[in-house]
Amino acid sequence: MLTMRSWFRDTTGGLPTTFWYLWTGTLINRLGSFVLIFLAIYLTQERGFSASQAGLVLGLWGVGGAVGTTVGGTLADRWGRRPTLFTAHVGAAAMMIALGLARDLWAVALGALLLGLFAEAARPAFGAMMIDVVPAKDRLRAFSLNYWAINLGFACAAILAGLAAQADYLLLFLVDAATMLITALIIFIRVPETRHAGPTVTTARAPRGALRTILADRVFLGFVVLNLFAALVFLQHISMLPIAMGDSGLSPATFGSVIALNGVLIVVGQLFVPRLIRGRSRSHVLALSAVVMGVGFGLTAFAGSAWFYGLTVLIWTVGEMLNSPSNATLIAELSPAALRGRYQGVFGLSWQIAGASAPVLGGLVREHAGNSALWLGCAALGVLTAVAHLVSGPARERRADALRRSGAGLVPADARTAAQPAEATA
């Protein structure tokens, strides 16, 4: 009992109050994340669109997200984290309802585009706020806890959505919108602004030519490209996996149960990951993650039953669990304090580009080369990404170490003092 209590205290203790409000908002939001899980099935089975048309709609979601994450990163640095988060959640809720009511392909496509824009505009501000309020020594466990909340909500949502979809698909859109509004309310009432601005804080304002600074940061951009490759593989579980399972004669409810294994495994194991990878080379961890994800998706080529699909999900989930906290802490250390929102936005852009292209590429490969070629191609891309992580890792660590020594990645002392009320522990 004492050992368990000590582990719980080491895992959750001492984190800022603002972090826990953000964590709560994440959990509530993800509990209602029904739509993205079932959008491919909804489009093909309920609306009667083809796999290519469904891929196009999902791709437009990603295009909107690419714009949103770029704009959101800029607004987080200039306007503030809190107003950006609040506006993005309210806008996403409105677009979610509009998408649920849309019927024609053009209306569905436009709704997906705008929903992606608002929903993804929140991510850079959220990431920057997490870095603002959580000390560097606690970020690994803070990001792991947040990822745990994401997947606890995802696991519950996947199961509930499979049941709700059998009653009425519109219910999925309405519940998803409601959770976004609740999250916006938490941000409005309980989350303070964490962007430190003022004449005495020299690093708070983004310098002129911020975009040029990022585009000249080859080490960071290389890391973004590798994340893009990993995301192209990982996001097939949203677009092509439900279609593949449908072709195998499995129902939407079965898909919901199978994909929920992803969240269940993360809920059970993610809290132990920080101790497992602490002190290990992040390049090696990221390389292992890419290989494991590649193997998991590659085995989907041979799946035909629910249990086999479930096995593949469990395998690539292990890779996902290793990837997420390592990615989050590394991007925090590669981001200068004055450009956190923009760096988060550019990094998030890799996810949005993947979100736009993964369903389109997956649909094209599947239709023209076959199901096996798609999944075995995912395995090959995973291995190539792993090799690239091993080659580029030392340069990333040198860059992070240089930022730490120069102090460019830190909030200055007077800004930390000004932020003291937000740093109280829960």
Side-chain angles (χ1 to χ4, degrees), residues 187-400:
I187 293 166
F188 183 75
I189 296 175
R190 305 304 304 179
V191 176
E193 178 57 63
T194 63
R195 181 178 66 99
H196 309 295
T200 60
V201 182
T202 58
T203 62
R205 298 184 185 278
R208 293 183 182 275
L211 182 59
R212 287 199 303 272
T213 300
I214 297 174
L215 293 179
D217 191 343
R218 295 182 180 179
V219 172
F220 169 73
L221 291 180
F223 180 54
V224 172
V225 170
L226 291 183
N227 189 71
L228 169 62
F229 292 155
L232 285 172
V233 174
F234 177 71
L235 291 178
Q236 297 302 326
H237 82 280
I238 295 175
S239 54
M240 292 301 109
L241 180 60
I243 295 175
M245 290 184 65
D247 287 348
S248 295
L250 302 173
S251 69
T254 301
F255 169 72
S257 298
V258 167
I259 203 65
L261 293 173
N262 168 260
V264 170
L265 180 58
I266 292 176
V267 168
V268 173
Q270 188 67 44
L271 295 181
F272 299 95
V273 169
R275 287 194 173 188
L276 179 65
I277 66 177
R278 186 180 300 155
R280 298 183 185 276
S281 166
R282 281 182 293 204
S283 301
H284 293 172
V285 172
L286 288 170
L288 177 61
S289 164
V291 170
V292 174
M293 277 202 291
V295 169
F297 280 100
L299 287 173
T300 308
F302 309 103
S305 58
W307 73 266
F308 204 144
Y309 280 111
L311 177 63
T312 67
V313 169
L314 291 175
I315 292 172
W316 57 253
T317 296
V318 173
E320 180 190 357
M321 290 166 65
L322 295 172
N323 177 275
S324 178
S326 300
N327 257 355
T329 56
L330 189 53
I331 193 64
E333 292 188 26
L334 292 175
S335 306
L339 298 175
R340 279 176 182 162
R342 287 174 172 84
Y343 266 70
Q344 289 284 333
V346 173
F347 180 73
L349 192 60
S350 64
W351 283 102
Q352 304 319 314
I353 293 173
S357 55
V360 176
L361 292 175
L364 290 174
V365 171
R366 195 170 186 277
E367 287 186 8
H368 296 288
N371 187 63
S372 296
L374 169 65
W375 303 115
L376 294 177
C378 288
L381 188 56
V383 172
L384 291 174
T385 302
V387 173
H389 271 303
L390 294 176
V391 172
S392 61
R396 289 196 301 261
E397 295 300 334
R398 287 194 298 270
R399 162 87 167 132

Side-chain angles (χ1 to χ4, degrees), residues 81-248:
R81 326 303 199 202
R82 182 172 178 264
T84 302
L85 277 174
F86 178 77
T87 303
H89 279 91
V90 172
M95 291 303 102
M96 183 66 73
I97 295 173
L99 180 60
L101 297 174
R103 289 295 178 267
D104 295 332
L105 177 60
W106 72 266
V108 172
L110 179 61
L113 178 73
L114 294 176
L115 177 58
L117 188 152
F118 279 103
E120 298 304 324
R123 292 187 185 274
F126 183 91
M129 184 173 276
M130 287 271 287
I131 299 171
D132 288 342
V133 302
V134 178
K137 64 182 178 62
D138 295 325
R139 284 175 189 157
L140 178 60
R141 60 194 182 99
F143 279 110
S144 292
L145 283 167
N146 190 68
Y147 199 63
W148 183 84
I150 288 172
N151 285 278
L152 175 61
F154 177 82
C156 296
I159 296 173
L160 294 175
L163 300 175
Q166 294 178 336
D168 185 3
Y169 272 103
L170 181 59
L171 183 61
L172 303 183
F173 293 88
L174 295 177
V175 172
D176 208 336
T179 59
M180 289 177 178
L181 289 175
I182 293 172
T183 302
L185 187 62
I186 292 173
I187 293 166
F188 183 75
I189 296 175
R190 305 304 304 179
V191 176
E193 178 57 63
T194 63
R195 181 178 66 99
H196 309 295
T200 60
V201 182
T202 58
T203 62
R205 298 184 185 278
R208 293 183 182 275
L211 182 59
R212 287 199 303 272
T213 300
I214 297 174
L215 293 179
D217 191 343
R218 295 182 180 179
V219 172
F220 169 73
L221 291 180
F223 180 54
V224 172
V225 170
L226 291 183
N227 189 71
L228 169 62
F229 292 155
L232 285 172
V233 174
F234 177 71
L235 291 178
Q236 297 302 326
H237 82 280
I238 295 175
S239 54
M240 292 301 109
L241 180 60
I243 295 175
M245 290 184 65
D247 287 348
S248 295

